Amino acid sequence: MNDTYDVAVIGGGPAGATAAHDLAKHGLSTLLLDKAGRIKPCGGAIPPRLLRQFDIPDHLVVNRVNGAKIVSPKAKNVRMNINTGGFVGMVDRDVFDEHLRVRAADAGADRRIGTFDRIDRDSAAVPTVHYTTRDGDAAQVRARHVIGADGALSAVGRENIGDHAPFVFAYHEVIRAPAGPAYDGATCDVYYDGRLSPDFYAWVFPHGDTVSVGTGSAQKGFSLKRSVGTLRDIAGLAHTETIRREGAPLPLYPLKRWDNGRDVVLAGDAAGCVAPASGEGIYYAMLGGRLAADAAAEALRTGDARALGQARRRFMKTHGSVFWILGFMQNYWYKSDWRRERFVAICQDADVQDLTWDAYMNKELVVAKPMAHARIFFKNMAYLTGLAAA
Ligand SMILES: Cc1cc2nc3c(=O)[nH]c(=O)nc-3n(C[C@H](O)[C@H](O)[C@H](O)COP(=O)(O)OP(=O)(O)OC[C@H]3O[C@@H](n4cnc5c(N)ncnc54)[C@H](O)[C@@H]3O)c2cc1C
C-alpha cells in the first residue's frame, strides 16, 4: 500500500479528466486512473458553451461548422444555418482527451495508467481500490471516495451501484477528407433514414483533414458497418481512404442513482448521461464530472456521504427536462420513414431552427421566446395530425 487519496477518479475521458482537474484545484489529493491506449470512438461535435464553461483553448477545435444539412428518407435536404455567429465545434478525441488529462495532472492530480478491478472495504476506515497496471501487475491505493467515470460499461457502476444504463451501439469510420470542390466540409450532415438507422440517425461530420461518418442503433442484427458503407456511397465518400473503423456503446438514459450513499459517485457515460435523439455526450460528461467532483468535495468537507447525491440532483434540475423532451422526440420521430419525412419537414421552419441552435449551443431552454414555442407547438400538431403536408 503506497498511497491514500481523498478521491480516486476511475477513467480519463472528458468526465474523469474534468473531475480530477476540479478536485486537484480544490486542493484535494486526487488519483486519475485510466486504461489508456484507445482513442474514444466519437463524432467529436461540441457546442460553444462547452468551450466557454470548461475553458478549452481554441487550437483544440479543428473545425467550426456553421450549419447542418438534414436529409430525409426521400432525400429531401433541409439546410439549417446558424444565424447568430455561433458554430458547432469539432474536436479530435485523441488530442482533446489528452489535453484534459494533462490539465488535470498540471493542476496536481496523480496520473496513473491501469485498469480498475474492484473496491475492498475491509476493517480500515478508508476503502482500497484495486487495479491492474499496464504491465499486468496487481496494484492498490486507498481512497476516501471514488468517482466512476469509466464509460458506458462502467465496472465501478456495475460493482457499486448495481445498475447499467441501456445503450445503443454507435459506429463510425474516420476517413480522409476528399480534395476538390465536390466536398466543402462546411456542414454537419445528418441523415434520418430507416435504411441508415432504424431508431437513431446517421452522420457525416467534417473535422478538417478527416471526416467522421457514422450511425447508431439499439436494434440487434442491424449492421452498422453496412449502413456506414451505404452512407459513404450516398455522400460520395466511398473511395476516400479509411483511417479507422471503430464503435462503442452509447448509453440512453441517466441512471436513477449515481451514488451508493457511501463513497462512490458516477459521472458521464457511466451515469448514462448522453442526450437522447442527438447522442451528445461530451458536454454532459464534463458537466457530470464537475458535479461529481463538487459532490465528493462536499462529502469530504462535511463528512456526510449524502452530499454525493447532489451530483445527480443538480444535473437533472438543469437538464432533466431537456433529456425528457429529447427522449420523447427520439421515441416518436425516429420510428418510421413516414415520421422521419415529417420531422425533416418541420426542420425547415425558421423558429424550429433558431430554437434548436440556441438550445444546442447554449444548453439552456430558451424561455425568452414564448411565441416561437407556441408556434412550434401548433406546427408540430399540424404535422402530427397530417394537416400540414411533408
Ligand atoms: C461513435 C460515437 C460517436 C459519438 N459522437 C459524439 C459527438 O459527436 N458529440 C458528443 O458530444 N458525443 C458523442 N458521443 C458520445 C461521447 O463520446 C461520450 O458521451 C463521451 O465520451 C463520454 O465521456 P466519459 O468521460 O463519460 O466516457 P469515455 O469518453 O468513454 O471515457 C471513459 C474512460 O474510462 C476509461 N476506462 C474504462 N474502463 C476502465 C477501467 N476499468 N479502468 C480504468 N479506466 C477505464 C477509458 O479508457 C476511457 O478513457 C459519441 C459516441 C460514440 C460511441
Side-chain angles (χ1 to χ4, degrees), residues 182-219:
Y183 171 80
D184 69 0
T187 55
C188 294
D189 297 347
V190 179
Y191 292 76
Y192 295 101
D193 184 333
R195 283 174 307 162
L196 300 174
S197 172
D199 49 1
F200 200 61
Y201 66 85
W203 70 85
V204 178
F205 287 174
H207 280 234
D209 293 341
T210 60
V211 186
S212 157
V213 186
T215 188
S217 177
Q219 221 172 76

Side-chain angles (χ1 to χ4, degrees), residues 6-9 16-31 107-109 145 147 289-290 292-298 300:
D6 288 321
V7 185
V9 180
T18 304
H21 168 265
D22 286 12
L23 288 161
K25 281 261 176 196
H26 283 310
L28 298 168
S29 62
T30 306
L31 170 68
H145 287 284
I147 293 180
R290 174 154 292 171
D294 286 350
E298 182 67 5
L300 283 164

